[in-house]
Amino acid sequence: MLVLGIESSCDETAAAVVRDGREVLSSAIHTQIALHAPHGGVVPEIASRSHIEKIPSVLRKALDDAKVSFSDIDAVAATYGPGLASSLLVGFSAAKGIAAAIDKPLIAINHVEAHIYSAFLSQSAPPITEALPLLSLVVSGGHSAIVRTGADRVPHILGQTLDDAAGEAFDKASKMLGLGYPGGPAIQKAADAAANHGKGISFPKGRISGDNPSLGSLTADFCFSFSGLKTSLRNYIQKHPVESEADRDEIAAAYQDAIVNALADRCALALSRGRYAGFSAGGGVSLNSALRARLAEVAAKAHVPLFLPEPRFCGDNAAMIAALAGSGIGIQPPESWALDASPNLTF
Ligand code: KG4
Ligand code: ZN
């Protein structure tokens, strides 16, 4: 089964062709980073206008790279949420139009569920069904969640951020430190250059009390809060002005450590409280090398195999969309033709 996938939930316009949920024949991505960088973050209207402009050429490239044409495609899959409403509408509408024109099924995909699946796109990874029950950490600019996928093959959120996402925490800190957008890679680079690894600077762990009203049915121990971390960085910089690149690098290292430890500690706890056959990560922040190293330690200690996506499948891409659609696992998508974009979609 050959699936054409389309992704446009935030600031990447992407299309991909994937065979049978595993074999990536092409993965074309146009990133809008250069358009949003001067604003220090994603501007929704700029994003949707750029999606409209770029989606035809990205689709063309995905088909050409895969050496197929529209008539070879068996189904069209697209992200319908969560994400920016005006961005989602572009990709999802394009998918509806294409599926109608070639008279093939339309498969609506949950973006967060696709990030979970992204670790199983590598030829070296086993099929996801062999890693169930699976614990996944999904960390990007818009989401931070710990998810359990059990034998029923349906994801359940165990914990998530109650305020900022991990990527947002990187992006906001980077702005404060004058390191630019996107913040994750910039903070990582500064942290790597820190001679003292941020020792002597400490930021709060962001623990959440069990009576926090935002928790709902979630367990406090598996949830995150990053807005306090951002405030403590602002306070730290006010008290200890950044006077050199070396100062800045040390702060970046301590800040990165705080995020990485918050994420890894929650995962370690979740692994210790359940039975798991696999542990995975996904989303743009899963590119972070300090996080990847810490997750490897956590997995080794818990004796659970770790599956990390290839770098090209960490950030937003359409291969994970087409692959999940073709895998036959996961949430049974609702009847797609009548669906609207769903910015706050959850599961
Ligand atoms: O998954 P993604 O491309 O888009 C969303 O769905 O949000 O993630 C983008 C986020 C940004 O916040 C960016 O700063 C972060 O991923 N990111 C990183 C790294 N590379 C990208 N965060 C930490 N370390 C990195 N190396
Ligand atoms: Zn994403």
Side-chain angles (χ1 to χ4, degrees), residues 23-71:
E23 193 189 343
V24 182
L25 302 188
S26 65
S27 177
I29 304 177
H30 173 263
T31 178
Q32 304 174 359
I33 284 178
L35 289 179
H36 301 292
H39 306 278
V42 177
V43 182
E45 185 171 340
I46 295 179
S48 51
R49 288 176 186 277
S50 175
H51 285 308
I52 292 213
E53 204 179 307
K54 297 295 177 191
I55 205 159
S57 56
V58 169
L59 278 162
R60 188 72 265 152
K61 181 163 170 38
L63 293 169
D64 289 351
D65 288 355
K67 300 190 173 56
V68 299
S69 63
F70 279 123
S71 57

Side-chain angles (χ1 to χ4, degrees), residues 7 83 100 113 127 140 165 170 177 188 190 199 231 248 266 271 279 288 304 314 318 320 339 343:
E7 156 62 39
E113 194 187 6
S140 71
F170 274 109
L177 292 170
Q188 179 180 317
K199 290 200 175 66
T231 309
R248 194 196 58 196
R266 302 313 193 267
L271 285 171
F279 174 34
N288 187 275
V304 177
C314 285
M320 65 183 187
L339 277 182

Side-chain angles (χ1 to χ4, degrees), residues 212-235:
N212 187 312
S214 311
L215 276 174
S217 60
L218 300 173
T219 309
D221 289 350
F222 303 150
C223 287
F224 312 105
S225 166
F226 292 114
S227 73
L229 179 61
K230 181 185 63 192
T231 309
S232 63
L233 172 63
R234 184 173 302 115
N235 293 341

Side-chain angles (χ1 to χ4, degrees), residues 197-219:
H197 307 289
K199 290 200 175 66
I201 307 172
S202 73
F203 289 113
K205 281 187 186 287
R207 286 262 173 247
I208 292 160
S209 89
D211 56 9
N212 187 312
S214 311
L215 276 174
S217 60
L218 300 173
T219 309

Side-chain angles (χ1 to χ4, degrees), residues 12-287:
E12 264 88 31
T13 317
V17 179
V18 177
R19 182 178 284 134
D20 298 331
R22 292 269 288 177
E23 193 189 343
V24 182
L25 302 188
S26 65
S27 177
I29 304 177
H30 173 263
T31 178
Q32 304 174 359
I33 284 178
L35 289 179
H36 301 292
H39 306 278
V42 177
V43 182
E45 185 171 340
I46 295 179
S48 51
R49 288 176 186 277
S50 175
H51 285 308
I52 292 213
E53 204 179 307
K54 297 295 177 191
I55 205 159
S57 56
V58 169
L59 278 162
R60 188 72 265 152
K61 181 163 170 38
L63 293 169
D64 289 351
D65 288 355
K67 300 190 173 56
V68 299
S69 63
F70 279 123
S71 57
D72 299 313
I73 299 297
D74 298 307
V76 183
T79 304
Y80 78 113
L84 298 170
S86 51
S87 285
L88 288 165
L89 284 172
V90 178
F92 195 49
S93 304
K96 275 194 184 183
I98 294 166
I102 63 174
D103 197 19
K104 290 287 154 65
L106 170 70
I107 304 171
I109 292 290
N110 178 312
H111 180 84
V112 176
E113 194 187 6
H115 271 306
I116 294 172
Y117 194 78
S118 65
F120 298 89
L121 281 178
S122 307
Q123 291 305 313
S124 58
I128 191 170
T129 45
E130 290 176 19
L132 302 177
L134 173 73
L135 187 82
S136 306
L137 174 70
V138 180
V139 270
S140 71
H143 334 276
S144 295
I146 295 183
V147 181
R148 181 182 198 279
T149 308
D152 62 356
R153 304 177 174 196
V154 175
H156 300 277
I157 293 183
L158 297 181
Q160 63 188 9
T161 181
L162 300 185
D163 40 60
D164 295 348
E168 213 176 334
F170 274 109
D171 294 338
K172 287 178 178 169
S174 182
K175 205 169 180 179
M176 278 188 239
L177 292 170
L179 287 167
Y181 177 85
I187 298 263
Q188 179 180 317
K189 189 162 170 236
D192 286 347
N196 230 350
H197 307 289
K199 290 200 175 66
I201 307 172
S202 73
F203 289 113
K205 281 187 186 287
R207 286 262 173 247
I208 292 160
S209 89
D211 56 9
N212 187 312
S214 311
L215 276 174
S217 60
L218 300 173
T219 309
D221 289 350
F222 303 150
C223 287
F224 312 105
S225 166
F226 292 114
S227 73
L229 179 61
K230 181 185 63 192
T231 309
S232 63
L233 172 63
R234 184 173 302 115
N235 293 341
Y236 184 89
I237 299 173
Q238 268 165 9
K239 273 197 215 134
H240 310 88
V242 180
E243 281 167 358
S244 65
E245 243 178 65
D247 284 354
R248 194 196 58 196
D249 293 348
E250 296 302 331
I251 297 170
Y255 189 87
Q256 174 176 271
D257 260 10
I259 297 179
V260 166
N261 288 333
L263 298 171
D265 290 352
R266 302 313 193 267
C267 290
L269 196 64
L271 285 171
S272 74
R273 293 209 192 143
R275 254 184 6 87
Y276 290 97
F279 174 34
S280 75
V285 179
S286 69
L287 272 170

